[in-house]
Amino acid sequence: MTMKVFVPGDSAARSVGADAVARAIRAEAARRDASVDLVRNGSRGLYWLEPLVEVATEQGRVAYGPVSASDVPSLFDAGFLRGEEHVLSHGLTDSISYLANQERLTFARVGVVDPLSIADYRAYGGLRGLERALAIEPASVISEVTESGLRGRGGAAFPAGIKWKTVHDTQASQKYIACNADEGDSGTFADRMLMEGDPFLLIEGMVIAGLATGATEGYIYLRAEYPDAYRVLTEAIRVAYEERLLGDDILGTGNRFHLHLRLAAGAYICGEETSMLESLEGKRGEIRYKPPLPAIEGLFGKPTVVNNVLTLAAVPLILDRGAAYYAGFGTGRSRGTQPLQLAGNVARGGLFEKAFGLTLRELIHDWGGGTATGRSVRAVQVGGPLGAYVPHWQLDTPLDYEALAERDAMLGHGGVVVFDDSVDMAKMARYAMEFCAIESCGKCTPCRMGSVRGVEVIDRVVGDQDRDKNLVLLEDLCDTMIHGSLCAMGGLTPYPVLSALRHFPEDFEPREGAGGGAGGDERRRAGGALRVVS
Amino acid sequence: MKTSETASAPAAWDPERARAVIREHKELPGALLPVLHAVRDTFGYVAPEAVPLVAEELNLSRAEVHGVLTFYHLFRQSKPGRHEVWICRAEACQAMNGDGVAEHASQRLGTDFHGTSEDGRYSLEPVYCLGNCALAPAAMIDGRLHGRLDAARLDELIAELEENG
C-alpha cells in the first residue's frame, strides 16, 4: 500500500533541512521496499517544528517534527508510515493546539495541499469563488467585497471594495490589477507562505478582481528575495493558463485575464504602491504624488487596483461563502481574519491566522510560548520597520486596526517581532532611521535627509553631546518627517524611533557611566562596527 | 539575483550575448527591470559596458538606464565573488543575534559588507528581510535560504561551499 508523506517544499522549511529530509525518506523507503508517495506541500506555518513531516493515515494526518535527515531511519523503525508514536510525534496535525485554535480562512489550504496540483485545489474548495463571480454581475462582486469589510492587508487598511468600485467606475481602454508581493517588512512572511503554498488562490483572487473591475491584465510584483515563490508562481501561472483560469476564455465563459509575474530588485520602497507602479513601468522606484489615485491613473497611466497578496487571496472565499460569512469574523471595523506572523525572539514562531481581536499577550505568550531565549519580553515591534515598538506593559493591546492606532501603533502587514530584555532600544531607534536612510527613494527631503540626520542626532544623544538639545532636535525632526514626508516611509519611520524613546528613555542615557537599562555595550559596539551607512 | 539554485555559473562579458539577452525582453511593457535582471542573471552583474547597449536597445538615454540601475540594490555593477552571501540585517534577525552572525560572516569570509573577499571567493551583502523571520537569523547563499543560523552553522555552510569548490 502506498503511503502519502508530506515534507514541506516551503522555502523556510527548506532553510532548515526539509530537502535533506525528503531525500532521506525516499532513500529509506527504497531501502525498505516501502511504497511512499512524497508530496512537497507548503508549510503549516508551525515553523519551530519545521521540517514538519506528515503522514496521511485513516485517522487523519499525523505530524512529526522537527525532523532532521538523521531521524528518518528511526521514524521508519517506529512505524511512522502508519502514524505510530515516535519521540518527534505530535499526533494528529489538526489537533496541534497552535493550529486547532486558529481560524484559517485565507490559509485553509496552505500546508495541506500540493501547491501546484489543480486537482487538489478544486478538491479543497478552490475555484468556487471564481465560478460564482463569473455567474453574477461585476457590480455584485464588488458589493460582496465591500460588505465583507475586507480592508487592504498590505498595511494601509483601505477598504478593498471601495478601491475596486473606483476602478470599475473609471472608463478606460485598459485597466490593470497589480498585486503587491514586495513583502519587505521584517517579521512578515505570510505572502511568501501563501504564494509558495497555495499560488492558485492568489491567481483566482486576481482573476476575480479583474472580472469585477473590467481589468484584463494583471501583474504580480514579487520581491527578488523570494526565489522559491518565483519558481512556484511561474509554474502555477503556466498551469493556470493550461486550465483556462487565465487567458482569453476563462473557464469557458469568454472572459479574458492575462497575468504577468515581475521581479522587484531589492528596494524596500517599492512596497509603496506608487513606487511599485513606477518600478513595474521600468523606472526608478520613486513614489508619485497622490492624487491622482492609482485607481484612476495607475499602471501605465490606466486605472489600477493595487492590492496586497493577502487582500486578493481573501477574495475567493468571500465570493464563495458570501460577505456575511467573512464579516462574521473580527471586531469593530476590523472584519474577517488577519494572518499574523509571529517572529523574532519567540519560542514558537509562525503563522497565526485568527479573527481580529487577539491580544499581543495571547499571541506571544499563549501561542508563541514566550521568547526563544527564555528571558522576558521587553518590546514588540508590530507592523514592520515603520511600526511602533509596543512595550511589554502594553501587551494587552488587541491586534486590530483601531486599538493599535489608539496607541500610535499599527498592524501593518501583521508582522509581530518579539525582543527580549537584552534589546537595546536606542540601537533599534537608530536602526529605524538608518534603514530609512538606506531605503528612502530620495524624492522628498524630510525622508531623504531627515533619516540621515536622525541617525546622527541619536548618536549624539547616546554619546552625550548636548544631550538635552539633541533630544529636542530629535522630536522636532520626527515631527517634520511625520508631517512633511510624501509617503509612509518617511512619515512612519519616526514611530519606532519615538516609541522607543518614550517607553525606554533609560536606553538613551549616555553610554559612558551608568549605561542604558538594557546593558549590551558589546552589542552596541558590534552594531557600530557593522554600520551599513557610511 | 539568481532565481534558480541550479543556474549555471555567470558567463564572461560578451557584448553580442548581452545584446541577445536584452532583445529577448525588450518588448515587454516596462521592460527595463526584466532586461536588467536578465543581464544580471547572465553575467552575474550589470557591467558598465552593458549600459549603452541597454539604452540603445530600449531607446532610452544612458542617464535613464544608469538612474534605474543604481536605484535598485540587487543590480550589482561589479563582478561578484564566486559565492554571494546575503545576511539579513533586519529587526527579526537582530532580535535573534543576527548582528553576531553578521559580524562572524564578515570575519570568516574576509570581507566587509558590500565587498568581495580578496581571493574573489565571496561577496557579502546585507539584505533587509528574507521572509524567514520565524526561523531567524537568516541568510541566503547563492539563492538558497538558510535559517536558525549561528556562527557554527554558518561555518558549516561555508565549509560545504569550500568542499564543492
Side-chain angles (χ1 to χ4, degrees), chain B residues 10-13 36 38-50 69 74-80 84:
Chain B
W13 172 252
L36 292 174
V39 172
R40 205 298 196 191
D41 285 349
T42 308
F43 301 105
Y45 67 114
V46 183
E49 300 93 307
L69 177 60
L74 290 187
F75 294 143
R76 59 177 306 137
Q77 296 163 76
S78 60
K79 193 169 183 223
E84 292 188 55

Side-chain angles (χ1 to χ4, degrees), chain A residues 321-399:
Chain A
R321 303 292 293 269
Y325 177 78
Y326 192 78
F329 294 85
T331 171
R333 288 175 52 229
S334 303
R335 308 313 310 177
T337 58
Q338 171 67 38
L340 295 159
Q341 300 125 85
L342 190 49
N345 194 336
V346 65
R348 296 196 290 266
L351 184 103
F352 205 89
E353 181 177 358
K354 188 87 177 162
F356 286 97
L358 193 70
T359 68
L360 272 169
R361 188 181 306 283
E362 289 167 329
L363 181 68
I364 295 165
H365 288 287
D366 299 355
W367 302 115
T371 64
T373 46
R375 303 174 67 120
S376 56
V377 174
R378 186 154 187 252
V380 180
Q381 189 176 31
V382 184
L386 308 177
Y389 285 97
V390 178
H392 61 87
W393 57 89
Q394 285 184 2
L395 289 185
D396 290 313
T397 306
L399 287 157

Side-chain angles (χ1 to χ4, degrees), chain A residues 175-187:
Chain A
K175 299 179 189 179
Y176 296 100
I177 308 296
C179 170
N180 187 340
D182 195 32
E183 184 175 51
D185 289 356
S186 175

Side-chain angles (χ1 to χ4, degrees), chain A residues 106-107 145 150-161 163-164 176-185 187-195 198-199 201-207 209 219-223 226 233 259 268 270-274 276-277 280 294 304-316 318 326 337-341 351 353 356 383 401 411-415:
Chain A
T106 302
F107 281 75
V145 172
L150 177 66
R151 292 164 69 178
R153 295 282 185 258
F158 188 81
K163 194 183 275 187
W164 287 25
Y176 296 100
I177 308 296
C179 170
N180 187 340
D182 195 32
E183 184 175 51
D185 289 356
T188 64
F189 45 82
D191 294 354
R192 179 189 59 69
M193 257 184 81
L194 189 121
M195 292 184 287
D198 195 13
L201 179 63
L202 174 58
I203 295 172
E204 183 181 350
M206 290 186 73
V207 176
Y219 283 85
I220 298 173
Y221 185 79
L222 175 69
R223 65 199 305 254
Y226 286 177
L233 280 173
L259 183 56
Y268 176 77
C270 291
E272 196 280 339
E273 62 175 358
T274 62
M276 184 188 88
L277 296 175
L280 279 171
T304 304
V305 170
V306 183
N307 277 152
N308 172 254
V309 172
L310 300 182
T311 315
L312 290 161
V315 166
I318 291 168
Y326 192 78
T337 58
Q338 171 67 38
L340 295 159
Q341 300 125 85
L351 184 103
E353 181 177 358
F356 286 97
Y401 298 125
L411 185 57
H413 188 48

Side-chain angles (χ1 to χ4, degrees), chain A residues 62-295:
Chain A
V62 177
Y64 302 85
V67 175
S68 69
S70 57
D71 297 319
V72 168
S74 79
L75 281 169
F76 274 87
D77 288 342
F80 92 116
L81 289 179
R82 298 181 303 277
E84 303 285 347
E85 256 315 300
H86 183 275
V87 66
L88 296 175
S89 170
H90 300 278
L92 293 173
T93 314
D94 289 338
S95 307
I96 298 174
S97 63
Y98 193 92
L99 204 52
N101 282 280
Q102 298 193 35
E103 286 151 325
R104 287 213 165 172
L105 303 186
T106 302
F107 281 75
R109 269 181 303 266
V110 176
V112 176
V113 298
D114 176 346
L116 289 169
S117 161
I118 198 83
D120 271 16
Y121 188 66
R122 278 186 187 276
Y124 285 84
L127 298 182
R128 292 203 298 243
L130 175 59
E131 281 160 2
R132 171 136 184 271
L134 285 163
I136 62 179
E137 290 299 312
S140 310
V141 176
I142 294 173
S143 338
E144 203 73 73
V145 172
T146 306
E147 284 159 24
S148 75
L150 177 66
R151 292 164 69 178
R153 295 282 185 258
F158 188 81
I162 293 177
K163 194 183 275 187
W164 287 25
K165 187 167 189 310
T166 307
V167 174
H168 173 271
D169 292 348
T170 306
Q171 297 302 313
S173 55
Q174 179 67 56
K175 299 179 189 179
Y176 296 100
I177 308 296
C179 170
N180 187 340
D182 195 32
E183 184 175 51
D185 289 356
S186 175
T188 64
F189 45 82
D191 294 354
R192 179 189 59 69
M193 257 184 81
L194 189 121
M195 292 184 287
E196 291 177 0
D198 195 13
F200 295 125
L201 179 63
L202 174 58
I203 295 172
E204 183 181 350
M206 290 186 73
V207 176
I208 294 172
L211 292 170
T213 56
T216 55
E217 297 273 335
Y219 283 85
I220 298 173
Y221 185 79
L222 175 69
R223 65 199 305 254
E225 291 85 346
Y226 286 177
D228 287 25
Y230 182 79
R231 217 161 30 237
V232 175
L233 280 173
T234 301
E235 180 61 12
I237 290 171
R238 191 192 64 74
V239 172
Y241 271 102
E242 247 175 45
E243 299 286 333
R244 292 199 299 177
L245 305 185
L246 292 171
D248 291 326
D249 186 20
I250 295 166
L251 298 182
T253 60
N255 288 286
R256 278 177 58 208
F257 192 76
H258 289 267
L259 183 56
H260 314 278
L261 178 60
R262 285 291 174 85
L263 269 184
Y268 176 77
I269 191 61
C270 291
E272 196 280 339
E273 62 175 358
T274 62
S275 281
M276 184 188 88
L277 296 175
E278 290 288 299
S279 186
L280 279 171
E281 292 181 8
K283 300 173 190 161
R284 290 166 65 89
E286 286 180 8
I287 69 146
R288 296 178 181 171
Y289 290 97
K290 284 193 276 196
L293 294 170

Side-chain angles (χ1 to χ4, degrees), chain A residues 225 431 530 532, chain B residues 84-90 93-94 97-109 111-114 123-130 137-142 144-146 149-150 154-155 157-158:
Chain A
E225 291 85 346
Y431 172 78
L530 285 165
V532 278
Chain B
E84 292 188 55
V85 179
W86 298 358
I87 305 280
C88 180
R89 308 300 317 275
C93 287
Q94 289 183 39
N97 192 32
D99 284 352
V101 171
E103 192 174 16
H104 181 77
S106 177
Q107 283 169 5
R108 175 69 184 75
L109 301 177
T111 170
D112 289 337
F113 278 88
H114 302 293
S123 288
L124 181 62
E125 296 291 334
V127 60
Y128 297 91
C129 197
L130 292 164
M140 189 169 269
I141 302 177
D142 296 334
R144 176 78 198 251
L145 184 62
H146 299 279
L149 290 180
D150 54 21
L154 193 67
D155 285 346
L157 293 169
I158 293 164

